[in-house]
Amino acid sequence: MSQTEIPSSAANITRANWSEITPQHLYDKCMALARNLWWSWHPEVVNLFRDLDPVRWRQIDHNPIALLAEMTPDQVAERASELVLYTRINQAHRRLKEYMANTRTTWGAREAGVLGAMPVAYFSAEFGIHESVPIYSGGLGVLSGDHIKSASGLGVPLVAIGLFYDQGYFKQHLDGEGWQSEEYLDTKVENLPMEPARDPNGRPITVEVETTHGKLFAKVWLMYVGRVHLYLLDCDVDGNSPEDRELTSRLYGGDVRTRIRQELVLGVGGVKALRALGIKPGVYHLNEGHSAFAPLEVIRERMQDDGMSFDEALREVAAHTVFTTHTPVPAGHDRFDGGMIEEHLGPLRQKLGISYEQLMGLGRVEPQNEGESFCMTVIGLKLSRRANAVSSLHGHVSRRMWAHLWPWRVEEEIPIGHITNGVHIPTWLAYPMVQLYDKYLGTEWHVRMGEPEIWQKIYAVDPGELWETHNALKSRLLEFVRRRVSRQSRRRNEDPAIIEAARSVLDPNALTIGFARRFATYKRADLFLRSIDQMADLLDDPNRPVQLVFAGKAHPADEPGKKLIQKIANLRHDPRFAGRVVFIEDYDINVARHMVQGVDVWLNNPRRPLEASGTSGQKAVLNGGLNFSILDGWWAEAYNGMNGFSIGGGTAHTDVEINDARDGEDLVRVLAEEIIPLFYLRDADGLPHEWIARMTNSIATLAARFSAHRMVVDYVQKAYLVAAGGLSSDMSVR
Ligand SMILES: *Cc1c(COP(=O)(O)O)cnc(C)c1O
């Protein structure tokens, strides 16, 4: 059959309406949808791809380009005719076109129009946009992804710069003993929604960055995330040594030298890429210290273009730079010794006309202290006029942490503010909840989701309907868990009886608690086991059972983190916990989505105040989950006594052992005395009305405040607009 003919099955059903549409035409529309990650936060479009082939869809990480690549236009047309997908494809395609064309009536056009020709350049080492684009490891990446999705939705002029990792972060498997192993898989570039970025003359771009021992080259990819262009630098190019071709293969892989070279490519290479693209940013936003070399290259540009001195250019560039710090853990800040810095920044330093000591001074708290290494957070703070932490509490911690940079100031005057993190609601909200919100909030919530007033209408929701929707999502989570747990058992070649048991693990009526995060020891995944006997009794109560779902990766070099995973995973061999505590391997955006959409309770128990913000609990809120958390990060400013549960009173003992013991006791106490009784308190109609009231209170008080739309609006109003004008402010760093 030629591609202009209509397959007979399609023609039979829809001849009258669709006789104009050829299979190729239909296929092209699907591909156009697949090539802009806009689809990933539109459940109707996600469902459309899934319906083309539900089994393959799951097998290939929900990647629509990979799916379409396996199908011919005729096959797509045939599937579409069987399911009458034609209308849905056409509608989705039209919506995408309208979305892309509509740049004049957005919030950004009204409120951030001055950024128009000189956009924000948003730098981040990772972007978590969708599980099929594996260039993220965890929280920082998901935050960056949510940031640019909301920037797209609000119409804020912004371009994003990151690195392309062709192996991404590792895939996690656990062996029979619960020990984590890491596997790196090559990503097929042709299956990703990106293309070579081109300069204004249409030529693909390669940037070069000089080091003392030769040049590093990187090509530049362009990925479409709604209206936002995401540019990704990739060192796998001719001209690089074989070793350097692998420089950007893995996220957070390699040694210190790999790290500084990646950061050189991201920061300095990123600025060069923008210049080659003909983009003149009005604001540089450095999301975490990884990209903090970027302002040095911008300073060089200003000296070259405008004949400024180094000092003049530094002041000028800092005025246009915004820096966000994410790490309250001292070891989390990248540091490099003088040799590393000189090897990689020596040539740039010479162009800047500054001495080795001057350059090192920019990365030191005490510029003259030769014993101090070069810290990326310090240079980030010194080269930006506005700096922020990511929650109110983290703001306090950061001001104390970096007070010695401004020894003449009292702590409250340390110029680090805070903008609390938020999540991109359309990405994390389950479709049945979207439909519920459409019904009760009116469809305008889609454009006003960052405004608290919109969410007040949730109090009018019918409790039975909310509960039923939540339970449907909980069933979906349980199905997912069973599928995964039995797959894990099959992969380990376990006993048929164990594999069979996995198929019915967990109880749909039991109180279900989720815990998923990086397995770093300060996050204390095993806190609930401090009173192990008491916990076992609580879980095993036949009238009021409780169950826990865990997921999370440990950094490959983090042995204590891996031991924690092992401890949790091996509970399946303990008869007191078997079937009640499960560990899902390979935590990623897909696992996260299932968990935050289906749990009753989201648990978070880090050692206060080490959690900068946390965002996974915010995702649970949107879907009706209740937070049960240490008063740390975002929860310290979110909890009101009625919108979830707290562990500890917002204090921490300086003795870690005492602190952990107290928090562990409080966890079990709150669970036993508050959470379990409230969950199982049913009225005559069988509904837990008080529990549902908390769900409603949680959504009403938290959804807008902890949305990425609110966050991006804050960045625009408190940081970008000021930086675009080059104005100094009360957050002034120098
Ligand atoms: C949301 C998310 C995170 C960050 O959540 P935290 O609360 O900071 O742990 C990490 N990883 C994935 C896959 C996520 O979706």
Side-chain angles (χ1 to χ4, degrees):
M1 190 193 314
S2 94
Q3 292 191 331
T4 51
E5 283 170 9
I6 303 163
S8 55
S9 52
N12 287 344
I13 296 174
T14 55
R15 186 181 299 278
N17 294 336
W18 303 112
S19 55
E20 300 302 308
I21 296 177
T22 65
Q24 186 65 43
H25 197 166
L26 195 70
Y27 186 88
D28 290 346
K29 284 189 173 177
C30 290
M31 203 46 119
L33 285 166
R35 297 202 69 85
N36 187 324
L37 284 158
W38 174 88
W39 68 263
S40 68
W41 64 92
H42 289 85
E44 317 87 271
V45 193
V46 175
N47 291 347
L48 186 163
F49 289 131
R50 185 202 54 209
D51 290 346
L52 288 176
D53 191 338
V55 175
R56 282 304 286 156
W57 178 244
R58 187 179 292 155
Q59 287 166 346
I60 54 180
D61 270 339
H62 308 145
N63 181 335
I65 296 180
L67 184 81
L68 290 165
E70 293 179 357
M71 300 176 84
T72 65
D74 288 340
Q75 284 170 324
V76 169
E78 196 171 322
R79 266 314 267 176
S81 68
E82 283 164 20
L83 296 164
V84 202
L85 281 178
Y86 282 88
T87 326
R88 286 162 62 198
I89 293 169
N90 277 305
Q91 253 171 15
H93 188 255
R94 193 170 53 239
R95 277 185 66 197
L96 172 60
K97 265 174 50 184
E98 283 168 7
Y99 179 85
M100 295 303 286
N102 171 18
T103 48
R104 268 175 302 151
T105 64
T106 59
W107 179 89
R110 282 199 314 279
E111 306 289 331
V114 296
L115 299 171
M118 298 182 77
V120 177
Y122 180 86
F123 286 75
S124 186
E126 42 171 317
F127 286 89
I129 301 160
H130 186 260
E131 58 268 26
S132 62
V133 185
I135 54 169
Y136 66 97
S137 80
L140 184 72
V142 173
L143 178 81
S144 309
D146 281 5
H147 190 106
I148 64 176
K149 287 171 183 173
S150 276
S152 169
L154 290 163
V156 175
L158 179 145
V159 296
I161 297 95
L163 295 177
F164 177 66
Y165 308 94
D166 60 2
Q167 298 191 332
Y169 202 51
F170 67 90
K171 294 257 167 209
Q172 176 197 52
H173 301 295
L174 303 189
D175 65 18
E177 273 80 56
W179 195 251
Q180 169 180 297
S181 64
E182 299 96 25
E183 183 188 15
Y184 290 89
L185 300 177
D186 282 324
T187 310
K188 284 203 177 123
V189 168
E190 64 273 23
N191 285 344
L192 293 178
M194 59 185 200
E195 60 196 40
R198 294 176 185 279
D199 69 16
N201 299 318
R203 284 185 303 252
I205 291 167
T206 304
V207 296
E208 47 179 81
V209 183
E210 242 179 293
T211 75
T212 307
H213 301 319
K215 289 176 176 170
L216 276 171
F217 297 91
K219 61 186 166 191
V220 185
W221 297 100
L222 167 57
M223 192 175 274
Y224 296 95
V225 184
R227 300 183 185 112
V228 168
H229 288 185
L230 168 57
Y231 296 100
L232 299 169
L233 284 83
D234 178 355
C235 288
D236 187 11
V237 287
D238 292 340
N240 278 338
S241 67
E243 195 184 323
D244 286 333
R245 289 189 79 133
E246 289 180 11
L247 188 59
T248 50
S249 282
R250 295 177 179 185
L251 190 46
Y252 305 137
D255 54 13
V256 174
R257 196 151 179 279
T258 313
R259 186 67 161 248
I260 192 172
R261 289 165 89 78
Q262 286 188 340
E263 296 185 356
L264 186 71
V265 172
L266 174 64
V268 175
V271 172
K272 291 187 171 209
L274 290 169
R275 193 177 175 93
L277 287 159
I279 296 170
K280 290 200 176 70
V283 178
Y284 294 85
H285 184 174
L286 314 175
N287 188 42
E288 187 56 307
H290 308 118
S291 54
F293 292 137
L296 293 174
E297 173 63 16
V298 188
I299 292 171
R300 191 200 63 74
E301 287 183 346
R302 297 308 296 262
M303 292 170 67
Q304 180 193 311
D305 296 350
D306 304 329
M308 290 184 181
S309 70
F310 175 78
D311 288 339
E312 282 169 335
L314 185 151
R315 265 194 299 278
E316 179 66 22
V317 170
H320 291 279
T321 303
V322 175
F323 176 67
T324 302
T325 178
H326 291 261
T327 322
V329 186
H333 298 262
D334 277 329
R335 289 181 176 277
F336 301 111
D337 65 32
M340 279 288 165
I341 291 291
E342 184 60 14
E343 180 190 341
H344 293 97
L345 289 144
L348 178 54
R349 174 182 70 68
Q350 284 170 2
K351 291 195 184 115
L352 295 172
I354 57 174
S355 67
Y356 166 79
E357 281 305 324
Q358 266 178 295
L359 176 61
M360 287 301 287
L362 289 172
R364 286 178 182 149
V365 175
E366 297 170 51
Q368 320 298 339
N369 180 354
E370 288 180 14
E372 201 183 319
S373 55
F374 187 101
C375 174
M376 295 302 278
T377 305
V378 173
I379 188 175
L381 289 168
K382 289 190 181 183
L383 294 186
S384 61
R385 186 60 61 76
R386 305 181 69 80
N388 69 283
V390 291
S391 71
S392 171
L393 179 59
H394 181 224
H396 287 287
V397 172
S398 300
R399 284 189 287 279
R400 203 175 321 138
M401 192 161 173
W402 300 109
H404 35 302
L405 270 176
W406 297 271
W408 59 92
R409 292 195 179 196
V410 294
E411 201 173 295
E412 302 79 65
E413 288 175 5
I414 298 300
I416 304 176
H418 80 270
I419 293 177
T420 305
N421 287 344
V423 295
H424 184 243
I425 295 177
T427 293
W428 297 104
L429 193 59
Y431 195 32
M433 292 298 289
V434 174
Q435 291 167 314
L436 189 79
Y437 291 158
D438 282 349
K439 183 167 159 194
Y440 286 94
L441 309 182
T443 47
E444 62 174 337
W445 78 268
H446 287 277
V447 283
R448 298 182 52 195
M449 58 192 136
E451 302 171 27
E453 307 77 50
I454 279 288
W455 295 90
Q456 294 312 303
K457 292 188 204 147
I458 195 70
Y459 288 114
V461 78
D462 174 60
E465 197 175 343
L466 179 58
W467 189 242
E468 207 172 287
T469 308
H470 169 67
N471 279 314
L473 289 169
K474 190 167 160 183
S475 307
R476 214 154 83 173
L477 168 63
L478 261 52
E479 267 173 49
F480 175 76
V481 168
R482 290 170 176 176
R483 205 162 55 228
R484 283 296 193 98
V485 173
S486 67
R487 192 174 90 190
Q488 290 166 197
S489 279
R490 277 200 308 275
R491 161 183 262 279
R492 289 193 287 255
N493 288 320
E494 288 177 331
D495 227 55
I498 297 179
I499 298 172
E500 192 48 42
R503 285 193 230 281
S504 57
V505 77
L506 301 186
D507 170 359
N509 297 313
L511 171 65
T512 304
I513 302 175
F515 180 105
R517 49 202 64 255
R518 189 159 54 85
F519 271 65
T521 46
Y522 76 85
K523 299 193 187 237
R524 302 185 297 189
D526 59 345
L527 191 70
F528 78 109
L529 292 175
R530 289 194 71 99
S531 319
I532 190 163
D533 296 327
Q534 213 181 337
M535 200 67 196
D537 289 346
L538 285 179
L539 265 60
D540 207 27
D541 182 338
N543 296 318
R544 304 191 304 180
V546 180
Q547 56 199 12
L548 290 109
V549 181
F550 281 86
K553 296 174 176 177
H555 186 276
D558 181 9
E559 293 279 314
K562 290 185 180 181
K563 287 206 172 107
L564 265 180
I565 290 179
Q566 186 172 41
K567 186 169 170 186
I568 305 288
N570 282 350
L571 289 173
R572 71 193 182 107
H573 303 307
D574 181 334
R576 295 176 300 174
F577 294 98
R580 295 236 178 272
V581 178
V582 296
F583 189 95
I584 309 290
E585 293 175 9
D586 204 32
Y587 184 47
D588 68 354
I589 287 176
N590 181 40
V591 175
R593 196 169 44 236
H594 280 91
M595 289 182 69
V596 299
Q597 292 179 351
V599 295
D600 299 308
V601 169
W602 191 253
L603 174 65
N604 187 19
N605 46 229
R607 241 172 238 143
R608 193 181 195 266
L610 297 183
E611 182 94 311
S613 169
T615 53
S616 52
Q618 301 168 349
K619 304 167 191 168
V621 163
L622 304 168
N623 293 290
L626 291 180
N627 279 273
F628 176 29
S629 171
I630 293 277
L631 291 168
D632 194 12
W634 77 284
W635 193 236
E637 67 199 79
Y639 179 60
N640 70 3
M642 277 305 292
N643 56 7
F645 308 93
S646 70
I647 304 168
T651 54
H653 199 285
T654 44
D655 182 311
V656 171
E657 186 44 43
I658 297 175
N659 187 46
D660 287 359
R662 283 185 184 172
D663 287 346
E665 273 166 37
D666 205 45
L667 188 164
V668 177
R669 184 190 63 76
V670 176
L671 186 59
E673 294 176 9
E674 297 181 33
I675 299 180
I676 298 174
L678 200 69
F679 182 82
Y680 285 105
L681 180 67
R682 305 294 160 111
D683 283 11
D685 56 8
L687 295 177
H689 280 280
E690 289 189 35
W691 186 274
I692 298 171
R694 282 206 189 211
M695 290 166 67
T696 323
N697 194 275
S698 158
I699 296 166
T701 58
L702 305 174
R705 268 178 74 201
F706 299 99
S707 69
H709 271 50
R710 188 276 309 150
M711 170 178 76
V712 170
V713 167
D714 275 358
Y715 274 105
V716 169
Q717 293 178 336
K718 297 181 183 171
Y720 297 162
L721 288 177
V722 192
L727 303 173
S728 64
S729 72
D730 57 349
M731 278 165 77
S732 158
V733 166
R734 66 191 67 238

